[in-house]
Amino acid sequence: MSAMLDDNRLQRRKRVMGIALALFFGALAVLTFFSNTIAGLALPKVTVTKPDFGQLERTISGEGELEAEKTEELYAEGDGNVTKIHVEEGDAVKKGQTLISYDTTEAERNLADEETRYAQAKLRMEKQREGIVDALRQDNQAGVRDLKRDLQIAEYDLEIQRRKLVTMREGIEQSSAVRAPFDGIVTDLQVTEGLPSSRGQAVAVIADVSRGLVFTFTEDADDADKLRIGETVSLSAYIGDKRRMVKGKVDDIEDAEDSGSSGGAGSGDSGDEKSKTITIKVNGQELQLGSQVKLSVKKTGRLGGIILASDSVQQGSDGYFVWTVKEKKGPLGSVYTAEKAAVTIGDSDETNTEIVDGIMPDEQVVEEMSEPLSEGQRVRLK
């Protein structure tokens, strides 16, 4: 009987100890849980996303007026007053047509004087020939030799005078008017009737529309490089009040003279953002010089990649990077840590950036954070 009582007491003692141990470890687990929970409340909060793979679409656009592919500035060939302007800006002209006439009265007076001197020189030569004939009759050999030398000199002088007259006539012809060097349209006149202009002064601009019309605009270099020389594009053209679609061809892409500078993930590099001038050649019977045109072309990215919001991509001294979140599961739940991932960016638009290398599509990328992060730092998810 005594043995049974001892055994019962032993069993009760074991049960009490088991319950006490269970309560102890339970309390320890609860305290640990609450301790982790309280500590977790102080961790930075982050919002993560799993990015998609794709290609960005960019819109290349520009607008302006149609211009002639070739224009030429015309200059005055002499000094004088403008006597008449035969054309107006916007007039179509033919090659050789007189555009501006000049007063050449003084030059013509000088020419008349030189022509008179030329005639006098010819008369003197006739007299010298007659003197040679008389000397031959008199058998004056010495006189004949002297007269022949004088006649030769006079012939040289007469030839010089003749060439001078040719030059003066050509000069009067050139300086008397400015003429169209080719068929075209007068786009600018820079003289006034009755007022003088100086030799070498620009007086008019003429556009050669026979080669076709061009439309030029400036675009970001990354976007401009999506076009190819020779590529056909569609443009909206406005002819009067009517709008119609016309075809154009990319004629030239070159570096713009003035390029702005900017940074950030959207630029595609860490240096200055370059611009390029794009020239579109347009042909159309109804199109005219000065017609308004507009271009809008959609182009997808060249490579494709993981698409992220541009705000998620940051730039450091070593290049571009994003923050990712790694999860480690434990007996008391998951622990999340922030890790920096270096990335290579491709195309970008106003809101998104293309990542071509550095992360995988299944990674959790930080979109927003409550405070700046550091490598390996614990975070909590919103």
Side-chain angles (χ1 to χ4, degrees):
M1 187 70 175
S2 175
M4 290 183 61
L5 290 173
D6 290 340
D7 186 57
N8 287 335
R9 283 196 295 270
L10 182 60
Q11 291 297 325
R12 284 197 300 271
R13 190 178 295 113
K14 288 181 177 181
R15 283 196 298 272
V16 171
M17 290 181 65
I19 293 170
L21 286 171
L23 291 173
F24 173 77
F25 284 113
L28 184 63
V30 170
L31 289 173
T32 302
F33 173 77
F34 280 108
S35 176
N36 288 339
T37 301
I38 293 171
L41 293 175
L43 296 176
K45 294 185 294 184
V46 297
T47 301
V48 297
T49 183
K50 288 190 175 181
D52 296 323
F53 188 88
Q55 287 182 308
L56 290 179
E57 185 176 71
R58 299 290 296 269
T59 299
I60 303 169
S61 59
E63 58 182 303
E65 294 183 354
L66 288 179
E67 302 173 341
E69 183 179 4
K70 175 188 175 183
T71 60
E72 186 169 323
E73 200 165 31
L74 308 182
Y75 301 90
E77 295 291 339
D79 300 315
N81 289 344
V82 176
T83 57
K84 186 172 181 58
I85 300 174
H86 301 271
V87 294
E88 296 180 353
E89 292 181 4
D91 284 356
V93 295
K94 296 292 185 181
K95 181 178 180 179
Q97 181 177 336
T98 299
L99 309 181
I100 304 167
S101 294
Y102 287 87
D103 181 10
T104 58
T105 302
E106 184 176 354
E108 289 173 353
R109 187 181 299 116
N110 292 335
L111 174 64
D113 290 343
E114 295 300 327
E115 287 175 336
T116 300
R117 293 189 181 96
Y118 182 77
Q120 290 173 341
K122 288 180 69 175
L123 290 175
R124 284 194 294 270
M125 285 181 60
E126 290 298 327
K127 186 176 181 179
Q128 286 171 329
R129 290 192 181 97
E130 291 174 357
I132 292 172
V133 172
D134 291 341
L136 288 171
R137 287 175 182 166
Q138 298 173 12
D139 196 22
N140 183 358
Q141 297 299 322
V144 169
R145 287 194 297 273
D146 291 339
L147 288 171
K148 284 186 176 181
R149 282 195 295 268
D150 291 341
L151 180 60
Q152 186 69 46
I153 293 171
E155 288 177 346
Y156 290 150
D157 290 339
L158 190 66
E159 177 61 22
I160 292 172
Q161 185 68 13
R162 186 192 65 79
R163 290 198 298 267
K164 184 177 181 180
L165 290 175
V166 170
T167 300
M168 291 182 70
R169 292 188 186 105
E170 291 176 348
I172 291 174
E173 175 68 16
Q174 292 175 355
S175 63
S176 65
V178 173
R179 298 174 176 83
F182 47 75
D183 294 353
I185 294 176
V186 178
T187 60
D188 190 23
L189 289 168
Q190 303 171 21
V191 290
T192 304
E193 283 189 8
L195 296 181
S197 64
S198 303
R199 183 187 302 272
Q201 175 185 335
V203 295
V205 178
I206 185 170
D208 183 359
V209 295
S210 64
R211 295 189 178 188
L213 301 174
V214 295
F215 160 52
T216 302
F217 66 101
T218 302
E219 184 59 279
D220 173 80
D222 288 340
D223 289 344
D225 287 342
K226 293 180 175 66
L227 294 173
R228 295 289 178 266
I229 294 178
E231 178 181 349
T232 300
V233 294
S234 295
L235 301 97
S236 298
Y238 297 86
I239 304 171
D241 296 332
K242 296 182 179 180
R243 174 180 174 273
R244 56 174 290 199
M245 298 302 295
V246 297
K247 293 295 184 182
K249 184 175 289 187
V250 180
D251 190 59
D252 189 32
I253 302 174
E254 60 182 9
D255 291 337
E257 292 184 1
D258 295 317
S259 295
S261 61
S262 63
S267 66
D269 58 48
S270 59
D272 292 342
E273 183 177 332
K274 301 297 183 180
S275 297
K276 291 197 174 183
T277 299
I278 302 169
T279 301
I280 310 292
K281 191 169 184 178
V282 185
N283 288 307
Q285 292 183 347
E286 297 182 17
L287 295 176
Q288 299 176 350
L289 203 65
S291 294
Q292 291 287 331
V293 291
K294 182 182 291 185
L295 170 73
S296 182
V297 179
K298 292 185 180 296
K299 291 285 186 177
T300 57
R302 297 184 297 272
L303 301 175
I306 293 172
I307 307 301
L308 288 177
S310 295
D311 291 341
S312 302
V313 184
Q314 300 182 41
Q315 186 176 7
S317 59
D318 297 330
Y320 293 99
F321 67 92
V322 298
W323 286 105
T324 63
V325 171
K326 300 299 182 183
E327 181 182 3
K328 184 178 181 180
K329 294 184 178 181
L332 297 179
S334 296
V335 175
Y336 301 96
T337 57
E339 293 186 7
K340 184 187 291 187
V343 296
T344 302
I345 70 171
D347 291 312
S348 62
D349 57 22
E350 293 80 3
T351 56
N352 296 314
T353 296
E354 191 178 79
I355 306 299
V356 297
D357 188 33
I359 58 173
M360 299 299 292
D362 58 350
E363 295 197 56
Q364 297 186 93
V365 178
V366 176
E367 281 190 316
E368 297 179 358
M369 62 188 75
S370 61
E371 61 186 76
L373 302 177
S374 58
E375 183 73 20
Q377 182 179 10
R378 286 186 59 194
V379 296
R380 62 190 177 100
L381 304 183
K382 286 185 179 180

